[in-house]
Amino acid sequence: MTVPPLLFALVMWFIGTAAVVWLDSRARATFRTSFRLAGGVAAIATGAVWWSAADAGWGGAYVGFAAAILIWGWHEMGFLMGFVAGPNRLPCPPEATGWTRLKLATATVIHHEIALAATVLLLVALTWGQPNQAAPLTFLLLFGLRLSAKFNLYLGVPNLSDEVFPAHLAYLKSYFRKRGGNPLLPVSILGSGALAVWTWTLAEAAPAQSGAAVTATLLAGLSALGMVEHLFLVLPLRDARLWQWASAKTKAAKAAAND
């Protein structure tokens, strides 16, 4: 029973990321419509979280996990399309250091982080006291992995992998640092790996084909993917290349070259 949930987690992560990359790489005139439609999908997914909260079986776990991924994708679109970011949309001044730099960096993303935290509270409220906790746990894990990646980029990593940022968010790159590493990076990598192992052991200990086993396996797969994404900050590999095929700009460039 462990293989299907792992594959499901991988497919949802892959398709979800590719969809966000494609929508965000289209013309800016399409952003508002795409964001609204995705918001409708997120609203339906939120309803599915409430509807499946009492389902302790494996089906409820899949529904909760998928719903959390869809809601997360909508939030990512809001950030990458520039609708929900922060009050500061200016590059970091070269002289800014220490507390000043931290305040400026926080102001570039604070609205988005508040929106994510509010969504965590909403999902917890919708499933409070219910057996199916797949949705809030999945979203909380994604939130934690995202915060970890942001702090590592802020502190400095060998490989920034910032090609995925669209032109209208180019100012965010000025808050990143390229350096050999930082004290948080190994903690993030080892921590996400340890979380993957721990949730895997929970899945093995749970009754076979139960909702608890599937939920823990899905979280294990997502934690492992988070560890891989953190490794991309260290290894001399560009994870953005994984998504070039999904970019509308890449397809347009190929079409122009063939004309």
Side-chain angles (χ1 to χ4, degrees):
M1 189 64 184
T2 57
V3 174
L6 289 177
L7 290 176
F8 187 78
L10 178 61
V11 169
M12 285 295 300
W13 171 80
F14 189 81
I15 294 178
T17 304
V20 171
V21 169
W22 180 70
L23 291 170
D24 186 56
S25 63
R26 300 179 70 206
R28 293 193 68 179
T30 67
F31 284 5
R32 192 169 298 276
T33 298
S34 297
F35 187 57
R36 286 174 176 172
L37 292 175
V41 173
I44 295 172
T46 303
V49 171
W50 173 80
W51 173 77
S52 64
D55 187 351
W58 58 268
Y62 281 117
V63 171
F65 181 85
I69 295 294
L70 291 173
I71 298 169
W72 181 266
W74 176 61
H75 278 287
E76 284 295 282
M77 287 175 60
F79 176 71
L80 292 174
M81 291 180 176
F83 293 121
V84 184
N88 178 26
R89 304 203 175 193
L90 298 174
C92 182
E95 70 278 5
T97 59
W99 179 245
T100 300
R101 177 172 175 263
L102 179 60
K103 287 194 298 182
L104 291 172
T106 301
T108 63
V109 296
I110 189 61
H111 293 164
H112 188 234
E113 303 310 317
I114 291 174
L116 292 174
T119 302
V120 171
L121 295 178
L122 174 62
L123 296 179
V124 170
L126 290 174
T127 59
W128 187 263
Q130 299 298 322
N132 183 9
Q133 296 293 313
L137 290 175
T138 299
F139 201 91
L140 183 60
L141 175 58
L142 288 169
F143 190 22
L145 291 171
R146 177 188 175 84
L147 284 176
S148 174
K150 280 187 174 180
F151 275 116
N152 275 292
L153 288 169
Y154 173 81
L155 293 173
V157 293
N159 181 19
L160 295 177
S161 296
D162 53 8
E163 299 93 335
V164 296
F165 279 90
H168 56 273
L169 294 181
Y171 64 92
L172 289 174
K173 298 180 182 181
S174 65
Y175 295 91
F176 301 165
R177 279 180 176 171
K178 187 176 181 64
R179 56 190 295 193
N182 68 80
L184 178 62
L185 188 54
V187 175
S188 299
I189 296 173
L190 294 175
S192 53
L195 185 58
V197 172
W198 179 60
T199 48
W200 181 270
T201 59
L202 291 178
E204 292 293 306
Q209 300 186 6
S210 66
V214 172
T215 297
T217 307
L218 290 168
L219 294 176
L222 197 58
S223 299
L225 289 170
M227 180 181 68
V228 171
E229 289 192 333
H230 278 81
L231 285 172
F232 274 121
L233 299 176
V234 180
L235 301 176
L237 300 172
R238 294 291 183 181
D239 59 340
R241 293 181 180 178
L242 293 174
W243 313 111
Q244 285 182 348
W245 62 273
S247 173
K249 294 179 181 178
T250 300
K251 294 178 180 179
K254 289 182 178 179
N258 293 330
D259 290 341

